[in-house]
């Protein structure tokens, strides 16, 4: 999984991260070790020395030296120059202030999320706590989420400070569409609201049909009674559908080429015209990828294009692709430990879904994926360590590995954090590789395909005792939804 620099590689991916070779360090509160890199100290900046004025020699009497008027520095001229210099300083200062405001103050630090189009940033703990912290109340007027593999709609009760399922009584399709928009989806992708029995709750949120409020959330109220005993199952997007027939013989390193429609959520992300990373479609406008793919200058959305529904890299040059409007990297991403290695890309124009292009399902709140559960990885990564990236899309079948086992001293020695998940075989042979970064790790549950992780890092490709490491989507789903809400 490490990247090697070679002369003019074809489709080479330099974003895929190798395991940090530095000795691990202990992190309080979690029995893991994080790599500790020695900080880089830049060379000192040279100082410019002002020229020293020399004395004037006495002129020869027989030669009359004319005094050019342009060199005469009168008090009036000095005042004008000082005034112009002051204006220049003010303009430069204002420009610097604008840049700082746009690139620094305009972004939310830490894990804070921006309130809509305003400059106000609010911590995740302040969202849906019953207190309006955003100027327009964005943090409190869309407190809805989906729970479990059956997509049970839950609404936050500011009265009880907890989440409750929504009683299906008096619920209609218009309410379902509004709820999907509150979650962060585009209303155009709405599928259905159905009624299912849900025995995990004794309290509900119900719809006040007599309320004149247009805001769905404000029409909800607590109730201990649901006459039908059925709750709302909400499908905001037709996700997780594939033509793939699960075949255990298909293996990226140690695998075979994918067929059209097998992985319709898979995209190739080109940076300056070259495949750099993979990504997963979650809505017509949004792509999930890895944070390390968009570090530094790679964060400029103008240099990115997404290609969907195409298997061969050579065919992509015949298409325009979809330009990227916005790149959002997880604010807590740590390039040293590789924690929170996830990012979002919002496209300038939405994708058109068909049998070859479609979204994967984001894991709903409460969903967990167990060790040994079979998953699939896909991408245009190299077919062997230090090889060039592939011209065709490949796929591989890999099981999830328990994090405790993956943190064994002989495997990753405590480097696996809760924001990560391991998948692969300890004996090697099958794995992701450079060029697969940001691509999907998916599994099938309840006849749907779910996004378990995004390809993040590892040591080598298909190396013994060094399985692939992926970003943990069960941890990132809430952050993804919040940003979809804030950037509709």
């Amino acid at each position: 999984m490490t990247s090697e620099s070679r002369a003019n590689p074809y489709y080479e991916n330099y974003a895929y991260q190798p395991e940090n070779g530095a000795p691990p360090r202990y992190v309080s509160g979690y029995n893991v070790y994080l790599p500790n890199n020695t900080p880089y100290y830049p060379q000192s900046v040279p100082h410019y020395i002002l020229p020293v004025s020399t004395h004037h020699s006495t002129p020869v009497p027989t030669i009359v030296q004319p005094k050019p008027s342009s060199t005469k520095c009168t008090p009036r001229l000095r005042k004008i120059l000082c005034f112009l210099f002051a204006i220049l300083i003010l303009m430069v200062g204002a420009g610097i202030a604008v840049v700082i405001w746009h690139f620094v103050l305009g972004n939310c630090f830490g894990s804070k999320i921006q309130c809509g189009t305003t400059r106000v940033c609010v911590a995740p703990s302040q969202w849906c706590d019953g207190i309006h912290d955003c100027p327009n109340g964005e943090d409190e007027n869309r407190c809805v989420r989906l729970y479990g593999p059956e997509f049970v709609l839950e609404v936050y009760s500011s009265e009880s400070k907890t989440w409750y399922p929504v009683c299906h009584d008096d619920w209609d399709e218009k309410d379902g569409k509004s709820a999907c928009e509150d979650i962060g989806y585009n209303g155009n992708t709405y599928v259905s609201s159905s009624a299912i029995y849900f025995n995990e709750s004794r309290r509900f949120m119900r719809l006040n049909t007599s309320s004149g409020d247009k805001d769905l959330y404000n029409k909800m109220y607590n109730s201990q009674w649901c006459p039908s005993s059925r709750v709302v199952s909400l499908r905001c997007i037709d996700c997780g559908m594939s033509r793939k027939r699960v075949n255990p013989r298909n293996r990226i390193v140690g695998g075979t080429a994918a067929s059209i429609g097998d992985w319709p959520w898979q995209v190739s992300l080109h940076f300056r015209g070259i495949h750099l990373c993979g990504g997963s479609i979650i809505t017509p406008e949004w792509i999930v990828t890895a944070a390390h793919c968009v570090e530094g200058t790679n964060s400029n959305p103008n240099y990115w294009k997404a290609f969907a529904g195409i298997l061969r890299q050579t065919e992509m040059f015949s298409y325009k692709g979809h330009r990227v409007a916005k790149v959002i990297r997880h604010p807590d991403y740590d390039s040293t430990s590789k924690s929170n290695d996830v990012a979002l890309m919002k496209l300038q124009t939405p994708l058109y879904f068909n049998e070859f292009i479609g979204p994967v399902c984001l894991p709903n709140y409460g969903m967990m994926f167990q060790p040994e559960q079979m998953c699939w990885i896909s991408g245009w990564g190299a077919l062997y360590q230090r090889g060039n990236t592939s011209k065709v899309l490949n796929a591989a079948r890999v099981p999830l590995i328990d994090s405790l086992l993956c943190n064994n001293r002989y495997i990753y020695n405590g480097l696996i954090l809760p924001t990560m998940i391991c998948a692969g075989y300890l004996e090697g042979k099958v794995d992701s590789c450079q060029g697969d970064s940001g691509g999907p790790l998916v599994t099938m549950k309840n006849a749907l395909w779910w996004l378990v992780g995004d390809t993040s890092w590892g040591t080598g490709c298909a190396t013994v005792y060094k399985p692939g490491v992926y970003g943990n989507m069960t941890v990132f789903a809430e952050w993804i939804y919040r940003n979809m809400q804030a950037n509709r």
Side-chain angles (χ1 to χ4, degrees), residues 262 289 311 381 404 412 468:
D262 281 356
T289 187
L311 296 180
L404 291 177
Y412 282 123

Side-chain angles (χ1 to χ4, degrees), residues 382-398:
L383 301 180
Y384 55 90
Q385 189 172 339
R386 298 189 181 92
N388 288 339
T389 49
S390 174
K391 297 180 181 179
V392 298
L393 180 65
N394 292 283
R397 186 173 182 261
V398 292

Side-chain angles (χ1 to χ4, degrees), residues 153-471:
L153 175 64
E154 291 189 330
V155 172
Y156 182 78
S157 169
S158 57
E159 176 185 333
S160 303
K161 307 296 182 184
T162 190
W163 296 82
Y164 293 126
V166 177
C167 180
H168 191 269
D169 296 15
D170 300 318
W171 188 267
D172 60 27
E173 297 295 312
K174 182 180 178 181
D175 298 320
K177 189 172 183 178
S178 296
C180 286
E181 291 174 348
D182 286 345
I183 291 173
Y185 287 97
N186 186 320
N188 295 330
T189 65
Y190 172 76
V191 180
S192 65
S193 295
S194 57
I196 64 171
Y197 289 99
F198 189 70
N199 299 321
E200 298 181 29
S201 178
R202 294 183 179 179
R203 299 198 65 172
F204 307 89
M205 297 295 287
R206 292 190 63 182
L207 193 67
N208 183 359
T209 56
S210 62
S211 173
D213 200 316
K214 294 183 179 179
D215 191 332
L216 174 68
Y217 180 72
N218 292 332
K219 292 194 291 186
M220 307 300 294
Y221 68 96
N222 286 9
S223 176
Q224 294 182 333
W225 185 50
C226 180
S228 67
S229 298
R230 296 185 301 172
V231 298
V232 176
S233 173
L234 185 65
R235 293 298 305 274
C236 295
I237 192 167
D238 195 11
C239 63
M241 307 301 292
S242 167
R243 298 177 64 186
K244 173 67 181 173
R245 293 181 180 179
V246 179
N247 184 345
R249 291 178 297 174
N250 280 357
R251 298 277 191 249
I252 302 179
V253 174
T256 57
S259 299
I260 189 71
D262 281 356
W263 316 110
W265 44 81
Q266 173 81 58
V267 295
S268 173
L269 298 174
H270 284 209
F271 184 76
R272 294 182 181 270
I274 297 176
H275 169 81
L276 186 64
C277 286
S280 303
I281 301 168
I282 55 172
T283 80
E285 297 89 9
W286 290 99
I287 305 292
V288 174
T289 187
H292 74 259
C293 291
V294 294
E295 285 189 276
T297 57
N298 287 16
S299 64
N300 189 334
N302 296 324
Y303 297 143
W304 287 97
K305 281 187 178 182
F307 293 86
I310 306 173
L311 296 180
R312 302 186 66 85
Q313 285 289 331
T314 51
E315 294 178 12
M316 296 179 191
F317 296 111
S318 302
Y319 295 85
K320 294 182 179 179
H322 286 257
R323 293 187 176 275
V324 175
K326 183 177 296 187
V327 172
I328 305 174
R329 193 178 70 183
H330 197 292
D332 292 333
Y333 167 65
D334 187 333
S335 60
T336 302
S337 67
K338 295 113 179 172
S339 180
N340 297 300
D341 192 10
V342 65
L344 286 170
M345 288 186 177
K346 186 174 185 181
L347 303 178
Q348 291 184 9
T349 55
L351 293 164
Y352 174 74
F353 289 166
N354 53 39
E355 59 181 325
F356 308 126
I357 302 175
V360 65
C361 296
L362 278 176
N364 295 325
Y365 183 82
M367 290 187 67
M368 300 295 293
F369 302 105
Q370 302 302 321
E372 303 302 323
Q373 185 162 340
M374 279 298 172
C375 299
W376 290 78
I377 49 179
S378 54
W380 288 270
L383 301 180
Y384 55 90
Q385 189 172 339
R386 298 189 181 92
N388 288 339
T389 49
S390 174
K391 297 180 181 179
V392 298
L393 180 65
N394 292 283
R397 186 173 182 261
V398 292
L400 297 181
I401 300 175
D402 188 284
S403 293
L404 291 177
L405 175 60
C406 212
N407 266 328
N408 183 284
R409 61 179 297 189
Y410 298 108
I411 303 178
Y412 282 123
N413 193 27
L415 294 175
I416 306 303
L417 304 180
T419 60
M420 306 172 189
I421 190 167
C422 289
Y425 299 91
L426 296 184
E427 62 269 26
K429 298 182 180 180
V430 181
D431 198 6
S432 51
C433 203
Q434 68 260 19
D436 293 320
S437 287
L441 170 72
V442 297
T443 192
M444 178 174 278
K445 187 178 181 68
N446 286 26
L448 296 175
W449 289 93
W450 302 82
L451 186 63
V452 179
D454 65 290
T455 305
S456 180
W457 62 279
T459 298
C461 299
T463 305
V464 176
Y465 292 130
K466 298 296 180 182
V469 184
Y470 304 82

